[in-house]
Coordinates of all heavy atoms in Angstrom, one line a residue:
M1 N 65.2 -24.3 -45.7 CA 65.4 -25.1 -46.8 C 66.6 -24.6 -47.6 O 66.7 -23.4 -47.9 CB 64.2 -25.1 -47.7 CG 64.3 -26.1 -48.8 SD 62.7 -26.1 -49.7 CE 63.2 -26.6 -51.2
K2 N 67.5 -25.5 -47.9 CA 68.7 -25.1 -48.6 C 68.4 -24.9 -50.1 O 67.6 -25.6 -50.7 CB 69.8 -26.2 -48.5 CG 70.4 -26.2 -47.1 CD 71.6 -27.2 -47.1 CE 72.3 -27.1 -45.7 NZ 73.5 -27.9 -45.7
K3 N 69.1 -23.9 -50.7 CA 69.0 -23.6 -52.2 C 70.4 -23.4 -52.7 O 71.3 -23.1 -52.0 CB 68.2 -22.4 -52.3 CG 66.8 -22.5 -51.8 CD 66.0 -21.2 -51.8 CE 64.7 -21.2 -51.2 NZ 64.1 -19.9 -51.1
W4 N 70.4 -23.5 -54.1 CA 71.7 -23.2 -54.8 C 71.7 -21.7 -55.1 O 70.9 -21.3 -55.8 CB 71.8 -24.1 -56.0 CG 72.1 -25.5 -55.8 CD1 71.3 -26.5 -55.8 CD2 73.4 -26.0 -55.5 NE1 71.9 -27.7 -55.5 CE2 73.3 -27.4 -55.4 CE3 74.7 -25.5 -55.4 CZ2 74.4 -28.2 -55.1 CZ3 75.8 -26.3 -55.1 CH2 75.6 -27.6 -55.0
F5 N 72.8 -21.0 -54.7 CA 73.0 -19.6 -55.0 C 74.3 -19.5 -55.8 O 75.1 -20.4 -55.8 CB 73.2 -18.8 -53.8 CG 71.9 -18.6 -52.9 CD1 71.7 -19.5 -51.8 CD2 70.9 -17.7 -53.2 CE1 70.5 -19.4 -51.1 CE2 69.8 -17.6 -52.6 CZ 69.5 -18.5 -51.4
I6 N 74.5 -18.4 -56.5 CA 75.7 -18.2 -57.3 C 76.5 -17.1 -56.6 O 75.9 -16.0 -56.4 CB 75.3 -17.8 -58.7 CG1 74.4 -18.7 -59.4 CG2 76.6 -17.6 -59.6 CD1 73.8 -18.2 -60.6
I7 N 77.8 -17.3 -56.4 CA 78.6 -16.3 -55.9 C 79.6 -15.9 -56.9 O 80.2 -16.7 -57.7 CB 79.2 -16.6 -54.5 CG1 80.1 -17.9 -54.6 CG2 78.2 -16.6 -53.4 CD1 80.9 -18.2 -53.4
Y8 N 80.0 -14.6 -56.9 CA 81.0 -14.1 -57.8 C 82.3 -14.0 -57.0 O 82.3 -13.5 -55.9 CB 80.6 -12.6 -58.3 CG 81.5 -12.1 -59.4 CD1 81.5 -12.5 -60.6 CD2 82.4 -11.0 -58.9 CE1 82.4 -11.9 -61.6 CE2 83.2 -10.5 -59.9 CZ 83.2 -10.9 -61.1 OH 84.1 -10.4 -62.1
T9 N 83.4 -14.4 -57.6 CA 84.7 -14.4 -56.9 C 85.7 -13.5 -57.6 O 85.5 -13.1 -58.7 CB 85.3 -15.9 -56.8 OG1 85.6 -16.3 -58.1 CG2 84.3 -16.8 -56.2
K10 N 86.8 -13.3 -56.9 CA 87.9 -12.6 -57.5 C 88.4 -13.4 -58.6 O 88.3 -14.7 -58.7 CB 89.0 -12.3 -56.5 CG 88.5 -11.2 -55.5 CD 89.7 -10.9 -54.6 CE 89.3 -9.8 -53.7 NZ 90.3 -9.3 -52.8
V11 N 89.2 -12.8 -59.6 CA 89.7 -13.5 -60.7 C 90.7 -14.6 -60.3 O 91.6 -14.4 -59.4 CB 90.4 -12.5 -61.6 CG1 91.1 -13.2 -62.8 CG2 89.5 -11.4 -62.1
N12 N 90.6 -15.8 -60.9 CA 91.4 -16.9 -60.6 C 91.4 -17.5 -59.2 O 92.4 -18.0 -58.8 CB 92.9 -16.6 -61.0 CG 93.0 -16.4 -62.5 OD1 92.3 -16.9 -63.3 ND2 93.9 -15.5 -62.9
Q13 N 90.4 -17.2 -58.5 CA 90.2 -17.6 -57.1 C 89.1 -18.6 -56.9 O 88.8 -19.0 -55.7 CB 90.0 -16.4 -56.2 CG 91.1 -15.4 -56.1 CD 92.3 -15.9 -55.3 OE1 92.1 -16.5 -54.3 NE2 93.4 -15.8 -55.8
E14 N 88.5 -19.1 -58.0 CA 87.4 -20.0 -57.9 C 87.6 -21.2 -57.1 O 86.9 -21.6 -56.2 CB 86.8 -20.3 -59.4 CG 86.5 -19.1 -60.2 CD 87.7 -18.6 -61.0 OE1 88.8 -19.1 -60.8 OE2 87.5 -17.7 -61.8
I15 N 88.7 -21.9 -57.5 CA 89.0 -23.2 -56.9 C 89.4 -23.1 -55.4 O 88.9 -23.8 -54.6 CB 90.1 -24.0 -57.7 CG1 89.5 -24.3 -59.1 CG2 90.5 -25.3 -57.0 CD1 90.6 -24.8 -60.1
K16 N 90.1 -22.1 -55.1 CA 90.6 -21.8 -53.8 C 89.4 -21.4 -52.9 O 89.2 -21.9 -51.8 CB 91.6 -20.7 -53.7 CG 92.9 -21.0 -54.3 CD 93.8 -19.9 -54.3 CE 95.1 -20.2 -55.0 NZ 96.1 -19.1 -55.0
V17 N 88.5 -20.6 -53.4 CA 87.3 -20.2 -52.7 C 86.4 -21.5 -52.4 O 85.9 -21.7 -51.3 CB 86.5 -19.2 -53.4 CG1 85.1 -19.0 -52.9 CG2 87.1 -17.8 -53.5
A18 N 86.3 -22.4 -53.4 CA 85.5 -23.6 -53.3 C 86.1 -24.5 -52.2 O 85.4 -25.0 -51.3 CB 85.4 -24.4 -54.5
E19 N 87.4 -24.6 -52.1 CA 88.1 -25.4 -51.1 C 87.9 -24.8 -49.7 O 87.6 -25.5 -48.8 CB 89.6 -25.5 -51.4 CG 89.9 -26.4 -52.7 CD 91.3 -26.4 -53.1 OE1 92.1 -25.5 -52.5 OE2 91.7 -27.1 -54.0
K20 N 88.0 -23.5 -49.6 CA 87.8 -22.8 -48.3 C 86.4 -22.9 -47.8 O 86.1 -23.1 -46.6 CB 88.3 -21.3 -48.4 CG 89.7 -21.2 -48.8 CD 90.5 -20.7 -47.7 CE 91.9 -20.5 -48.2 NZ 92.8 -20.1 -47.2
L21 N 85.4 -22.8 -48.7 CA 84.0 -22.9 -48.4 C 83.7 -24.3 -47.8 O 83.0 -24.5 -46.8 CB 83.1 -22.6 -49.5 CG 83.0 -21.2 -50.0 CD1 82.2 -21.0 -51.3 CD2 82.3 -20.3 -48.8
Q22 N 84.3 -25.3 -48.5 CA 84.1 -26.7 -48.0 C 84.8 -26.9 -46.7 O 84.3 -27.7 -45.8 CB 84.6 -27.7 -49.0 CG 83.7 -27.8 -50.3 CD 84.2 -28.7 -51.4 OE1 85.4 -29.1 -51.3 NE2 83.4 -29.0 -52.3
G23 N 85.9 -26.2 -46.5 CA 86.5 -26.3 -45.2 C 85.8 -25.8 -44.0 O 85.9 -26.3 -42.9
I24 N 85.0 -24.8 -44.3 CA 84.1 -24.2 -43.2 C 82.7 -24.9 -43.1 O 81.9 -24.4 -42.4 CB 84.0 -22.7 -43.2 CG1 83.3 -22.2 -44.5 CG2 85.4 -22.0 -43.0 CD1 83.0 -20.7 -44.5
G25 N 82.5 -25.9 -44.0 CA 81.2 -26.6 -43.9 C 80.2 -26.2 -44.8 O 79.0 -26.6 -44.6
I26 N 80.5 -25.4 -45.8 CA 79.5 -24.9 -46.8 C 79.6 -25.8 -48.0 O 80.6 -25.9 -48.6 CB 79.6 -23.5 -47.1 CG1 79.4 -22.7 -45.8 CG2 78.6 -23.0 -48.2 CD1 79.6 -21.2 -46.0
S27 N 78.5 -26.4 -48.5 CA 78.5 -27.2 -49.7 C 78.6 -26.3 -50.9 O 77.9 -25.3 -50.9 CB 77.2 -28.1 -49.8 OG 77.1 -28.9 -48.7
C28 N 79.5 -26.6 -51.8 CA 79.6 -25.8 -53.0 C 80.0 -26.7 -54.1 O 80.4 -27.8 -54.1 CB 80.6 -24.7 -52.7 SG 82.3 -25.3 -52.4
Y29 N 79.9 -26.1 -55.4 CA 80.3 -26.7 -56.6 C 80.9 -25.8 -57.5 O 80.4 -24.7 -57.8 CB 79.0 -27.3 -57.2 CG 79.2 -28.0 -58.6 CD1 80.0 -29.1 -58.7 CD2 78.5 -27.4 -59.7 CE1 80.2 -29.7 -59.9 CE2 78.7 -28.1 -60.9 CZ 79.5 -29.2 -61.0 OH 79.8 -29.8 -62.3
C30 N 82.1 -26.1 -58.0 CA 82.9 -25.4 -59.0 C 83.3 -26.3 -60.1 O 84.3 -27.1 -59.9 CB 84.1 -24.7 -58.3 SG 85.1 -23.7 -59.4
P31 N 82.5 -26.3 -61.2 CA 82.9 -27.1 -62.3 C 84.2 -26.8 -62.9 O 84.5 -25.6 -63.1 CB 81.7 -27.0 -63.3 CG 81.1 -25.6 -63.0 CD 81.4 -25.4 -61.5
T32 N 85.0 -27.8 -63.1 CA 86.4 -27.6 -63.6 C 86.7 -28.5 -64.9 O 85.9 -29.5 -65.1 CB 87.4 -27.9 -62.6 OG1 87.3 -29.3 -62.2 CG2 87.4 -26.9 -61.4
V33 N 87.7 -28.1 -65.6 CA 88.1 -28.9 -66.8 C 89.6 -28.9 -66.9 O 90.3 -28.0 -66.4 CB 87.5 -28.2 -68.1 CG1 88.0 -26.8 -68.3 CG2 87.7 -29.1 -69.3
L34 N 90.1 -30.0 -67.3 CA 91.6 -30.2 -67.4 C 92.0 -29.7 -68.7 O 91.6 -30.2 -69.8 CB 91.9 -31.7 -67.2 CG 93.4 -32.0 -66.8 CD1 93.9 -31.3 -65.5 CD2 93.6 -33.5 -66.8
V35 N 93.0 -28.7 -68.7 CA 93.4 -28.1 -69.9 C 94.9 -28.3 -70.1 O 95.7 -28.2 -69.1 CB 93.1 -26.6 -70.0 CG1 93.6 -25.9 -71.2 CG2 91.6 -26.3 -69.8
V36 N 95.4 -28.6 -71.3 CA 96.8 -28.8 -71.5 C 97.4 -27.5 -72.0 O 97.0 -27.0 -73.0 CB 97.1 -29.9 -72.5 CG1 98.6 -30.0 -72.8 CG2 96.5 -31.2 -72.0
K37 N 98.3 -26.9 -71.2 CA 98.9 -25.6 -71.6 C 100.3 -25.9 -72.2 O 101.0 -26.7 -71.8 CB 99.2 -24.8 -70.3 CG 97.9 -24.4 -69.6 CD 97.1 -23.3 -70.2 CE 97.7 -22.0 -69.8 NZ 97.0 -20.9 -70.3
Q38 N 100.6 -25.2 -73.3 CA 101.8 -25.3 -74.0 C 102.8 -24.2 -73.7 O 102.5 -23.1 -74.0 CB 101.5 -25.3 -75.6 CG 102.8 -25.4 -76.4 CD 103.4 -26.8 -76.3 OE1 102.8 -27.8 -76.5 NE2 104.7 -26.7 -76.1
Y39 N 103.9 -24.6 -73.1 CA 104.9 -23.6 -72.8 C 106.0 -23.8 -73.8 O 106.0 -24.8 -74.5 CB 105.4 -23.8 -71.4 CG 104.3 -23.5 -70.3 CD1 103.6 -24.5 -69.7 CD2 104.0 -22.1 -70.0 CE1 102.7 -24.2 -68.8 CE2 103.0 -21.8 -69.1 CZ 102.3 -22.9 -68.4 OH 101.3 -22.6 -67.5
S40 N 107.0 -22.9 -73.7 CA 108.1 -23.1 -74.7 C 108.9 -24.3 -74.5 O 109.5 -24.9 -75.4 CB 109.0 -21.8 -74.6 OG 109.6 -21.8 -73.3
D41 N 109.0 -24.8 -73.3 CA 109.8 -26.0 -73.0 C 109.1 -27.2 -72.5 O 109.7 -28.3 -72.4 CB 110.8 -25.6 -71.9 CG 110.2 -25.2 -70.6 OD1 109.1 -24.8 -70.7 OD2 110.9 -25.3 -69.6
R42 N 107.8 -27.1 -72.3 CA 107.0 -28.3 -71.9 C 105.5 -28.1 -72.0 O 105.1 -26.9 -72.4 CB 107.3 -28.5 -70.4 CG 106.7 -27.4 -69.5 CD 107.2 -27.5 -68.1 NE 106.6 -26.6 -67.2 CZ 107.0 -25.3 -67.1 NH1 107.9 -24.8 -67.9 NH2 106.4 -24.5 -66.2
K43 N 104.8 -29.2 -71.8 CA 103.3 -29.1 -71.7 C 102.9 -29.4 -70.3 O 103.6 -30.2 -69.7 CB 102.7 -30.1 -72.7 CG 102.9 -29.9 -74.2 CD 102.2 -30.9 -75.0 CE 102.3 -30.6 -76.5 NZ 101.7 -31.6 -77.3
K44 N 101.9 -28.7 -69.8 CA 101.4 -28.9 -68.5 C 99.9 -29.0 -68.4 O 99.2 -28.2 -69.1 CB 102.0 -27.8 -67.6 CG 101.6 -27.9 -66.2 CD 102.3 -26.8 -65.4 CE 102.0 -26.9 -63.9 NZ 102.5 -25.8 -63.1
K45 N 99.4 -30.0 -67.6 CA 98.0 -30.1 -67.4 C 97.6 -29.1 -66.3 O 98.1 -29.2 -65.2 CB 97.6 -31.5 -67.1 CG 97.9 -32.5 -68.3 CD 97.5 -33.9 -67.9 CE 97.8 -34.8 -69.1 NZ 97.6 -36.2 -68.8
V46 N 96.6 -28.3 -66.5 CA 96.1 -27.3 -65.6 C 94.7 -27.5 -65.4 O 93.9 -27.6 -66.4 CB 96.5 -25.9 -66.0 CG1 96.0 -24.9 -65.0 CG2 98.0 -25.7 -66.3
L47 N 94.3 -27.5 -64.1 CA 92.8 -27.5 -63.8 C 92.2 -26.1 -63.8 O 92.7 -25.2 -63.1 CB 92.6 -28.1 -62.4 CG 91.3 -28.6 -62.0 CD1 90.8 -29.7 -63.0 CD2 91.2 -29.1 -60.6
K48 N 91.3 -25.8 -64.7 CA 90.7 -24.5 -64.9 C 89.2 -24.6 -64.6 O 88.6 -25.6 -64.9 CB 90.9 -24.0 -66.4 CG 92.4 -23.9 -66.8 CD 93.0 -22.7 -66.4 CE 92.6 -21.5 -67.2 NZ 93.3 -20.3 -66.9
P49 N 88.6 -23.5 -64.1 CA 87.2 -23.5 -63.9 C 86.4 -23.4 -65.2 O 86.9 -22.7 -66.1 CB 86.9 -22.3 -63.0 CG 88.1 -21.4 -63.2 CD 89.3 -22.3 -63.6
L50 N 85.4 -24.2 -65.3 CA 84.6 -24.1 -66.5 C 83.8 -22.8 -66.7 O 83.7 -22.3 -67.8 CB 83.6 -25.3 -66.4 CG 82.8 -25.6 -67.7 CD1 83.8 -26.0 -68.8 CD2 81.9 -26.7 -67.5
I51 N 83.4 -22.3 -65.5 CA 82.7 -20.9 -65.6 C 83.5 -20.0 -64.8 O 83.5 -20.0 -63.5 CB 81.3 -21.1 -65.0 CG1 80.5 -22.2 -65.7 CG2 80.6 -19.7 -65.2 CD1 79.2 -22.5 -65.0
P52 N 84.3 -19.2 -65.4 CA 85.2 -18.3 -64.7 C 84.5 -17.3 -63.8 O 83.5 -16.7 -64.1 CB 86.0 -17.5 -65.8 CG 85.7 -18.3 -67.0 CD 84.5 -19.0 -66.8
S53 N 85.1 -17.2 -62.6 CA 84.6 -16.2 -61.5 C 83.3 -16.6 -60.8 O 82.8 -15.7 -60.1 CB 84.5 -14.7 -62.1 OG 85.8 -14.4 -62.5
Y54 N 82.8 -17.8 -61.1 CA 81.6 -18.2 -60.4 C 81.7 -19.4 -59.7 O 82.4 -20.4 -60.1 CB 80.4 -18.3 -61.4 CG 80.1 -17.0 -62.1 CD1 80.5 -16.7 -63.4 CD2 79.3 -16.1 -61.4 CE1 80.1 -15.5 -64.0 CE2 79.0 -14.9 -62.0 CZ 79.4 -14.6 -63.3 OH 79.0 -13.4 -63.9
V55 N 81.1 -19.6 -58.5 CA 81.0 -20.8 -57.6 C 79.6 -20.9 -57.2 O 78.9 -19.9 -56.8 CB 81.9 -20.7 -56.5 CG1 81.8 -21.9 -55.6 CG2 83.4 -20.6 -56.9
F56 N 79.0 -22.0 -57.2 CA 77.7 -22.3 -56.8 C 77.7 -22.9 -55.3 O 78.5 -23.7 -55.0 CB 77.0 -23.4 -57.7 CG 77.0 -23.0 -59.1 CD1 78.0 -23.5 -60.0 CD2 76.0 -22.2 -59.6 CE1 77.9 -23.1 -61.3 CE2 76.0 -21.8 -60.9 CZ 76.9 -22.3 -61.8
V57 N 76.9 -22.3 -54.5 CA 76.9 -22.7 -53.1 C 75.4 -23.2 -52.7 O 74.4 -22.7 -53.1 CB 77.3 -21.6 -52.1 CG1 78.7 -21.2 -52.2 CG2 76.4 -20.3 -52.3
F58 N 75.5 -24.2 -51.9 CA 74.2 -24.9 -51.5 C 74.0 -24.5 -50.0 O 74.7 -25.1 -49.1 CB 74.3 -26.4 -51.7 CG 73.0 -27.1 -51.5 CD1 71.9 -26.8 -52.2 CD2 72.9 -28.1 -50.5 CE1 70.6 -27.4 -52.1 CE2 71.6 -28.8 -50.4 CZ 70.6 -28.4 -51.1
I59 N 73.2 -23.5 -49.7 CA 73.1 -23.0 -48.3 C 71.7 -22.5 -48.1 O 70.9 -22.2 -49.0 CB 74.2 -21.8 -48.2 CG1 74.4 -21.4 -46.8 CG2 73.7 -20.6 -49.1 CD1 75.6 -20.5 -46.6
E60 N 71.4 -22.3 -46.8 CA 70.1 -21.8 -46.5 C 70.1 -20.3 -46.6 O 71.1 -19.7 -46.4 CB 69.8 -22.2 -45.0 CG 69.5 -23.6 -44.8 CD 68.9 -24.0 -43.5 OE1 68.4 -23.1 -42.8 OE2 69.1 -25.2 -43.1
E61 N 69.0 -19.7 -46.9 CA 69.0 -18.2 -47.2 C 69.3 -17.4 -45.9 O 70.0 -16.4 -46.1 CB 67.6 -17.9 -47.7 CG 67.6 -16.5 -48.2 CD 66.5 -16.3 -49.3 OE1 65.7 -17.2 -49.6 OE2 66.5 -15.1 -49.8
R62 N 69.0 -17.9 -44.8 CA 69.3 -17.1 -43.6 C 70.8 -17.1 -43.3 O 71.3 -16.4 -42.5 CB 68.5 -17.6 -42.4 CG 68.8 -19.1 -42.0 CD 67.8 -19.6 -41.0 NE 67.7 -21.0 -41.0 CZ 68.2 -21.8 -40.1 NH1 68.8 -21.3 -39.0 NH2 68.1 -23.1 -40.2
N63 N 71.6 -18.1 -43.9 CA 73.0 -18.3 -43.6 C 73.8 -17.7 -44.8 O 75.0 -18.0 -44.9 CB 73.4 -19.7 -43.4 CG 72.7 -20.3 -42.1 OD1 72.4 -19.5 -41.2 ND2 72.4 -21.5 -42.1
R64 N 73.2 -17.0 -45.7 CA 73.9 -16.5 -46.9 C 75.2 -15.7 -46.6 O 76.1 -15.7 -47.3 CB 73.0 -15.7 -47.8 CG 72.1 -16.5 -48.6 CD 71.3 -15.7 -49.6 NE 70.9 -14.4 -49.2 CZ 71.1 -13.2 -49.8 NH1 71.8 -13.3 -50.9 NH2 70.7 -12.1 -49.3
N65 N 75.2 -14.9 -45.5 CA 76.3 -14.1 -45.2 C 77.6 -14.8 -44.8 O 78.6 -14.3 -44.6 CB 75.9 -13.0 -44.2 CG 75.0 -11.9 -44.8 OD1 75.0 -11.7 -46.0 ND2 74.2 -11.3 -44.0
D66 N 77.5 -16.1 -44.4 CA 78.6 -16.9 -44.0 C 79.6 -17.0 -45.0 O 80.8 -17.2 -44.7 CB 78.1 -18.3 -43.6 CG 77.2 -18.3 -42.4 OD1 77.1 -17.2 -41.7 OD2 76.6 -19.3 -42.0
V67 N 79.3 -16.9 -46.3 CA 80.3 -17.1 -47.4 C 81.3 -15.9 -47.4 O 82.4 -16.0 -47.9 CB 79.7 -17.3 -48.7 CG1 78.8 -18.5 -48.8 CG2 78.9 -16.0 -49.2
F68 N 80.9 -14.8 -46.9 CA 81.8 -13.6 -46.9 C 83.0 -13.7 -45.9 O 83.9 -12.8 -46.0 CB 81.0 -12.3 -46.7 CG 80.0 -12.0 -47.8 CD1 78.7 -12.1 -47.6 CD2 80.4 -11.8 -49.1 CE1 77.8 -11.8 -48.6 CE2 79.6 -11.5 -50.1 CZ 78.2 -11.5 -49.9
S69 N 83.0 -14.7 -45.1 CA 84.2 -14.9 -44.2 C 85.3 -15.5 -45.0 O 86.5 -15.6 -44.5 CB 83.8 -15.9 -43.1 OG 83.5 -17.2 -43.6
V70 N 85.1 -16.0 -46.3 CA 86.1 -16.6 -47.1 C 86.8 -15.5 -48.0 O 86.0 -14.7 -48.7 CB 85.6 -17.7 -47.9 CG1 86.6 -18.2 -48.9 CG2 85.1 -18.8 -47.1
F71 N 88.1 -15.4 -48.0 CA 88.8 -14.4 -48.9 C 88.6 -14.8 -50.3 O 88.7 -16.0 -50.7 CB 90.3 -14.4 -48.6 CG 91.1 -13.5 -49.5 CD1 91.1 -12.2 -49.3 CD2 91.7 -14.1 -50.5 CE1 91.8 -11.3 -50.1 CE2 92.4 -13.2 -51.4 CZ 92.4 -11.9 -51.3
G72 N 88.3 -13.9 -51.2 CA 88.0 -14.1 -52.6 C 86.6 -14.0 -53.0 O 86.3 -13.9 -54.2
V73 N 85.7 -14.1 -52.0 CA 84.3 -14.0 -52.4 C 83.9 -12.5 -52.5 O 84.2 -11.7 -51.6 CB 83.3 -14.6 -51.3 CG1 81.9 -14.3 -51.6 CG2 83.6 -16.1 -51.2
V74 N 83.3 -12.1 -53.7 CA 83.0 -10.7 -53.9 C 81.6 -10.4 -53.5 O 81.3 -9.5 -52.7 CB 83.3 -10.3 -55.4 CG1 82.9 -8.9 -55.7 CG2 84.8 -10.5 -55.7
R75 N 80.6 -11.1 -54.2 CA 79.2 -10.8 -54.0 C 78.4 -12.0 -54.5 O 78.9 -12.9 -55.1 CB 78.8 -9.5 -54.7 CG 79.0 -9.5 -56.1 CD 78.7 -8.2 -56.7 NE 79.0 -8.1 -58.1 CZ 78.3 -8.5 -59.1 NH1 77.1 -8.9 -59.0 NH2 78.7 -8.4 -60.4
Y76 N 77.1 -11.9 -54.2 CA 76.1 -12.8 -54.8 C 75.7 -12.3 -56.1 O 75.6 -11.0 -56.3 CB 74.9 -13.0 -53.9 CG 75.1 -14.0 -52.8 CD1 75.5 -13.6 -51.5 CD2 74.9 -15.3 -53.0 CE1 75.6 -14.5 -50.5 CE2 75.1 -16.3 -52.0 CZ 75.4 -15.8 -50.7 OH 75.6 -16.7 -49.7
M77 N 75.3 -13.1 -57.0 CA 74.7 -12.7 -58.3 C 73.2 -12.5 -58.0 O 72.5 -13.2 -57.3 CB 74.9 -13.8 -59.4 CG 76.3 -14.0 -59.8 SD 77.1 -12.5 -60.4 CE 76.1 -12.0 -61.8
F78 N 72.7 -11.5 -58.6 CA 71.3 -11.1 -58.4 C 70.5 -11.2 -59.8 O 71.1 -10.9 -60.8 CB 71.2 -9.6 -57.8 CG 71.4 -9.7 -56.4 CD1 72.7 -9.6 -56.0 CD2 70.4 -9.7 -55.5 CE1 73.0 -9.5 -54.6 CE2 70.7 -9.7 -54.1 CZ 72.0 -9.6 -53.7
W79 N 69.2 -11.5 -59.7 CA 68.3 -11.5 -60.8 C 67.0 -10.9 -60.4 O 66.4 -11.4 -59.4 CB 68.1 -12.9 -61.3 CG 67.1 -13.1 -62.4 CD1 65.9 -13.6 -62.3 CD2 67.3 -12.7 -63.7 NE1 65.2 -13.5 -63.5 CE2 66.1 -13.0 -64.4 CE3 68.4 -12.2 -64.5 CZ2 65.9 -12.9 -65.8 CZ3 68.2 -12.0 -65.9 CH2 67.0 -12.4 -66.5
L80 N 66.6 -9.8 -61.0 CA 65.4 -9.0 -60.7 C 65.4 -8.6 -59.3 O 64.3 -8.7 -58.6 CB 64.2 -9.9 -61.1 CG 64.0 -10.3 -62.5 CD1 62.8 -11.2 -62.7 CD2 63.9 -9.1 -63.5
G81 N 66.5 -8.2 -58.8 CA 66.5 -7.7 -57.4 C 66.7 -8.6 -56.3 O 66.6 -8.3 -55.1
K82 N 66.7 -10.0 -56.6 CA 66.8 -11.0 -55.6 C 68.0 -11.8 -56.0 O 68.4 -12.0 -57.1 CB 65.5 -11.9 -55.6 CG 64.3 -11.1 -55.3 CD 63.1 -12.1 -55.3 CE 61.8 -11.3 -54.9 NZ 60.6 -12.2 -55.0
P83 N 68.6 -12.5 -54.9 CA 69.7 -13.4 -55.2 C 69.3 -14.5 -56.2 O 68.3 -15.0 -56.1 CB 70.0 -14.0 -53.9 CG 69.5 -13.1 -52.9 CD 68.3 -12.4 -53.5
A84 N 70.2 -14.7 -57.3 CA 69.9 -15.6 -58.3 C 69.9 -17.1 -57.7 O 70.8 -17.5 -57.0 CB 70.9 -15.5 -59.4
L85 N 68.9 -17.9 -58.0 CA 68.8 -19.3 -57.7 C 69.0 -20.1 -58.9 O 68.7 -19.8 -59.9 CB 67.4 -19.5 -57.0 CG 67.1 -18.8 -55.7 CD1 65.6 -19.1 -55.4 CD2 68.0 -19.3 -54.6
V86 N 69.6 -21.3 -58.6 CA 69.8 -22.3 -59.6 C 69.1 -23.6 -59.2 O 69.1 -24.0 -58.1 CB 71.3 -22.6 -59.8 CG1 71.5 -23.6 -60.9 CG2 72.1 -21.4 -60.1
K87 N 68.3 -24.2 -60.2 CA 67.6 -25.4 -59.9 C 68.5 -26.5 -59.7 O 69.6 -26.6 -60.3 CB 66.6 -25.7 -61.0 CG 65.6 -24.7 -61.2 CD 64.7 -25.0 -62.4 CE 63.7 -24.0 -62.6 NZ 62.9 -24.2 -63.8
E88 N 68.2 -27.5 -58.9 CA 69.0 -28.7 -58.6 C 69.2 -29.4 -59.9 O 70.4 -29.9 -60.1 CB 68.2 -29.6 -57.6 CG 69.0 -30.8 -57.3 CD 70.2 -30.6 -56.3 OE1 70.1 -29.7 -55.5 OE2 71.1 -31.4 -56.4
S89 N 68.3 -29.5 -60.8 CA 68.4 -30.3 -62.1 C 69.5 -29.6 -63.0 O 70.1 -30.2 -63.8 CB 67.1 -30.3 -62.8 OG 66.6 -29.1 -63.1
E90 N 69.6 -28.3 -62.9 CA 70.7 -27.5 -63.7 C 72.1 -27.7 -63.1 O 73.0 -27.6 -63.9 CB 70.3 -26.1 -63.7 CG 69.1 -25.8 -64.5 CD 68.6 -24.4 -64.4 OE1 69.1 -23.6 -63.6 OE2 67.7 -24.0 -65.2
I91 N 72.2 -28.0 -61.8 CA 73.6 -28.2 -61.3 C 74.0 -29.6 -61.8 O 75.1 -29.8 -62.2 CB 73.5 -28.1 -59.7 CG1 73.2 -26.7 -59.3 CG2 74.8 -28.6 -59.1 CD1 74.2 -25.7 -59.5

C-alpha cells in the first residue's frame, strides 16, 4: 500500500528533485509559489518551493530506497524512530 513520506533535499534542489523523481516513475509533490524578485534593473517572477528542502513522495514502503538514486535527495524525515508519514487529507 502506498503512503506519503517526506524526504529532505539539498538546498535549492527541491524542484529538480521532484522532476527527476517523476521522471523515474515515483509520484511526488513539491508545493511551489510564484514570487516576484526585485533586481536593480528588472523584476523577475521566480518559482520557489513553499516548504524549503522538503518533497513529499507517494511510494510503497518496500520501495523507499528507490528515491536515493536521484541526485539531491539527502534522507527521509523521521518521527519517533520511524519514517514520517503524511495523511492524504493533509497533502
Side-chain angles (χ1 to χ4, degrees):
M1 183 173 157
K2 290 187 174 184
K3 300 175 185 174
W4 284 101
F5 293 97
I6 307 167
I7 56 173
Y8 184 76
T9 65
K10 290 186 176 184
V11 178
N12 297 325
Q13 295 289 315
E14 304 89 352
I15 297 172
K16 291 178 185 176
V17 166
E19 290 172 354
K20 301 250 180 178
L21 286 170
Q22 289 175 346
I24 63 171
I26 297 174
S27 300
C28 63
Y29 177 60
C30 180
T32 56
V33 63
L34 195 62
V35 177
V36 177
K37 300 283 275 185
Q38 175 70 49
Y39 296 101
S40 60
D41 60 338
R42 68 190 185 283
K43 291 182 180 180
K44 186 175 180 181
K45 294 179 183 175
V46 180
L47 196 62
K48 302 279 284 188
L50 190 61
I51 307 170
S53 297
Y54 294 103
V55 175
F56 302 97
V57 292
F58 191 59
I59 194 167
E60 291 188 24
E61 192 153 0
R62 61 189 160 109
N63 297 331
R64 280 189 321 128
N65 289 335
D66 294 349
V67 300
F68 294 113
S69 65
V70 174
F71 177 78
V73 175
V74 177
R75 61 186 168 89
Y76 279 95
M77 293 302 300
F78 282 83
W79 174 256
L80 300 175
K82 296 180 182 178
L85 295 174
V86 181
K87 295 177 185 173
E88 181 75 33
S89 61
E90 294 173 346
I91 294 290

